[in-house]
Amino acid sequence: MAIERIIDGGSRGGDEDHYDLALRPQSLDECIGQEKLLAKIKIALTAAKQRNEPVEHILLHGPPGLGKTTLAHVIAHEMGAHLKTSSGPALVRTGDLMGILTNLQHGDVLFIDEIHRLPTVVEEFIYPAMEDFKVDFTVDSGMHAKTINIPLQPFTLIGATTRAGLISSPLRARFGIQHHLEFWSLENLQQCLQRSARMLGVECKEEALEVISSCCRGTPRIANRLLRRVRDYAQVRGDGKVTTELARAALRMEEIDELGLDRLDRAFLESLITTYKGGPAGIEALAATLGQERDTLEDVVEPYLLQIGFVARTRQGRVATDAAYGHLGIKPSGRKVVDDEGLFD
């Protein structure tokens, strides 16, 4: 069963999407991070405007929460076009996509999130739409079936995915611009937090923003989520001004340490180190020890621990690195030498 964590980069929908929409930049000049991609997009947009053409189809891939949806909104705004949004799982039949495509105006942007989850029949249906701006739609069936060729207005398709390896080669080849979104630097996260704090009307000390940014796992969505939690804590336990002490206290209440690890992350590392002597240990054994599903550990916990070098995967199983021992304050013998578990003091 999937679990919700405050340091998960995925969207929770509802109120969070409402807040994210309010904090979303409207132009490329307001965007932070992803400098290489922004430079590439600026050139493509400028050239397309000069030719009075829609910009090339764009494929954005990378971990959740890095701004793929935001970039789609910014591109549509920069081009002065309307944005239509959908997702791979929502487009089950060709008719679902047909209604969207035929309503697009010249230069409009169609954004499909999790595009790798498009059914094969829908994916093949979109090929001629992307290449020639037309679709062949079959009506009726059997001996009465006939195919109608329907022209479309030139448009831009922006696809987003967290699993680029699952996108078929024919679909990938039809995107003129492809880019992998990287995790944000601490400097960019601090700039993001400064901008969000201004828009939310929250007064924050510079040192407090540094504390929050260090816990964000390089993900702006997590940064904005933590900022809202810290803001609420400062409002109730303080005078509303976010200081370093209040930021640390709020994060400690959420059981998040200075590297952005939460209780489940630390439990995973402690189990690997103490129960399995640092590994190697199989993922099924770790899941049974922690009382969690295997998918939860593989999809939710392990990616960040692998990214920061706390866990290594081997043929025999998972192995804890020296960095993990050092972070938890555990000697290689398995004896714990500190009691704060890395949480803020």
Side-chain angles (χ1 to χ4, degrees):
M1 182 179 64
I3 60 174
E4 286 191 355
R5 307 161 75 206
I6 189 174
I7 40 73
D8 178 19
S11 174
R12 296 182 177 181
D15 291 340
E16 181 169 86
D17 285 349
H18 173 74
Y19 277 111
D20 288 343
L21 181 62
L23 299 175
R24 183 171 289 156
Q26 298 298 314
S27 66
L28 287 173
D29 292 335
E30 296 178 11
C31 291
I32 301 169
Q34 313 295 343
E35 289 83 2
K36 293 181 180 179
L37 173 60
L38 293 180
K40 187 188 301 184
I41 293 295
K42 284 182 179 179
I43 292 175
L45 293 183
T46 302
K49 288 179 181 178
Q50 292 175 351
R51 297 191 301 267
N52 194 28
E53 296 176 356
V55 70
E56 289 184 276
H57 303 306
I58 301 172
L59 176 63
L60 304 173
H61 47 90
L66 297 185
K68 296 184 287 293
T69 303
T70 296
L71 277 173
H73 281 80
V74 168
I75 290 170
H77 184 267
E78 290 278 357
M79 294 296 293
H82 295 97
L83 177 71
K84 306 291 185 182
T85 63
S86 188
S87 65
L91 300 173
V92 179
R93 299 177 297 273
T94 57
D96 300 330
L97 185 60
M98 185 67 181
I100 297 176
L101 292 175
T102 53
N103 284 313
L104 292 176
Q105 301 300 314
H106 186 280
D108 280 357
V109 176
L110 172 60
F111 176 68
I112 301 180
D113 197 12
E114 296 301 313
I115 195 170
H116 68 273
R117 296 179 62 183
L118 280 176
T120 302
V121 63
V122 177
E123 179 182 318
E124 293 176 350
F125 179 77
I126 206 174
Y127 290 165
M130 295 176 68
E131 288 185 321
D132 305 318
F133 302 116
K134 65 179 182 180
V135 289
D136 295 324
F137 193 70
T138 303
V139 295
D140 292 331
S141 59
M143 62 180 296
H144 300 291
K146 58 181 179 179
T147 300
I148 303 175
N149 185 272
I150 302 176
L152 303 173
Q153 294 290 337
F155 70 97
T156 297
L157 173 64
I158 301 180
T161 177
T162 56
R163 307 286 295 275
L166 298 182
I167 297 180
S168 66
S169 296
L171 179 60
R172 183 193 299 271
R174 285 169 169 81
F175 287 98
I177 299 176
Q178 303 179 26
H179 197 90
H180 178 77
L181 274 68
E182 304 288 346
F183 286 104
W184 288 28
S185 66
L186 288 177
E187 180 182 358
N188 286 335
L189 286 171
Q190 290 176 31
Q191 294 174 2
C192 173
L193 287 169
Q194 288 172 348
R195 179 180 181 275
S196 298
R198 287 195 304 269
M199 298 184 71
L200 292 173
V202 181
E203 185 178 354
C204 295
K205 291 283 189 178
E206 190 69 25
E207 295 79 5
L209 295 181
E210 292 178 4
V211 169
I212 299 172
S213 64
S214 68
C215 305
C216 298
R217 299 178 177 235
T219 305
R221 178 178 286 151
I222 297 176
N224 288 328
R225 188 182 296 158
L226 291 181
L227 177 63
R228 293 195 298 271
R229 295 293 179 89
V230 172
R231 175 197 61 177
D232 293 345
Y233 186 92
Q235 179 181 330
V236 175
R237 297 292 177 88
D239 59 1
K241 183 177 181 179
V242 177
T243 63
T244 304
E245 293 73 20
L246 287 172
R248 290 179 183 273
L251 293 169
R252 185 165 57 246
M253 176 176 285
E254 299 289 347
E255 298 186 273
I256 299 173
D257 66 25
E258 68 272 13
L259 289 183
L261 304 186
D262 68 356
R263 180 173 56 182
L264 183 55
D265 294 320
R266 292 190 297 275
F268 180 94
L269 292 175
E270 288 181 350
S271 177
L272 181 57
I273 290 173
T274 58
T275 304
Y276 298 99
K277 308 303 179 186
I283 191 65
E284 294 285 0
L286 287 166
T289 302
L290 295 171
Q292 298 287 343
E293 296 291 335
R294 171 177 179 163
D295 291 345
T296 299
L297 298 185
E298 285 186 322
D299 299 335
V300 178
V301 178
E302 276 195 330
Y304 184 64
L305 297 178
L306 290 167
Q307 176 198 337
I308 62 177
F310 277 13
V311 173
R313 281 184 177 177
T314 68
R315 290 184 178 181
Q316 293 76 28
R318 277 63 175 172
V319 176
T321 65
D322 292 341
Y325 280 94
H327 182 69
L328 295 182
I330 300 177
K331 288 184 176 180
S333 62
R335 182 173 61 86
K336 200 170 192 178
V337 296
V338 295
D339 298 323
D340 63 1
E341 294 188 337
L343 291 174
F344 292 106
D345 295 325

